[in-house]
Amino acid sequence: MKIMKHLLIFSFGLLFTLISCKKDADANVGSECAMKLKSHFKDELRCSKKGEMENNLYAGDYKGKTVYFVDTMCPLCNTVPPAFGFTCNLEKIIFEDFAELKNREQVYNSCTKKFIN
């Protein structure tokens, strides 16, 4: 009976450890810069309905600088492109011509609340 009790305690301990490790492995973190800019844009990142109205964090290359900006994803809306973004050092960059932005990629999704790695 004592062995069974110890085995049961060991099993629960092992299960708890495995669950804890899984959670740490799935931690939702982006690059240091992405996390900094997510915090900077926190009031603008929002989701009304996934796939219909999302304001997500994006990054791209603009005139030799990596720039982070919030863009609206709304297939049924007539939205204009962002007017500005920020570098990791929080230098504000005005987009004179948004079409010059290269390598645009989503960094953080406001609906899933997850960084895109």
Side-chain angles (χ1 to χ4, degrees):
M1 195 59 141
K2 240 181 177 182
I3 293 173
M4 194 68 149
K5 183 178 177 182
H6 287 292
L7 187 56
L8 188 59
I9 291 171
F10 175 77
S11 297
F12 279 119
L14 183 61
L15 181 63
F16 179 76
T17 302
L18 291 173
I19 291 171
S20 297
C21 290
K22 172 93 171 103
K23 186 176 181 181
D24 290 343
D26 291 342
N28 181 29
V29 294
S31 70
E32 182 180 333
C33 195
M35 291 189 299
K36 179 179 181 179
L37 273 293
K38 176 193 172 270
S39 178
H40 183 75
F41 283 117
K42 69 180 181 250
D43 294 335
E44 295 174 52
L45 297 171
R46 53 188 171 268
C47 174
S48 299
K49 188 170 182 184
K50 184 159 178 55
E52 291 185 22
M53 183 60 173
E54 306 174 26
N55 292 328
N56 299 317
L57 182 63
Y58 292 83
D61 298 323
Y62 186 76
K63 296 187 177 182
K65 295 183 179 185
T66 299
V67 181
Y68 292 79
F69 55 95
V70 174
D71 200 359
T72 302
M73 197 292 294
C74 180
L76 301 177
C77 302
N78 189 14
T79 59
V80 296
F84 62 89
F86 288 90
T87 66
C88 196
N89 296 326
L90 299 181
E91 173 189 359
K92 188 173 185 176
I93 304 295
I94 303 296
F95 298 138
E96 296 167 7
D97 183 359
F98 191 75
E100 291 183 31
L101 185 82
K102 305 295 180 211
N103 304 317
R104 180 179 182 255
E105 63 182 4
Q106 190 179 106
V107 174
Y108 178 80
N109 186 285
S110 62
C111 292
T112 63
K113 307 244 186 276
K114 292 186 178 181
F115 286 94
I116 312 300
N117 295 327

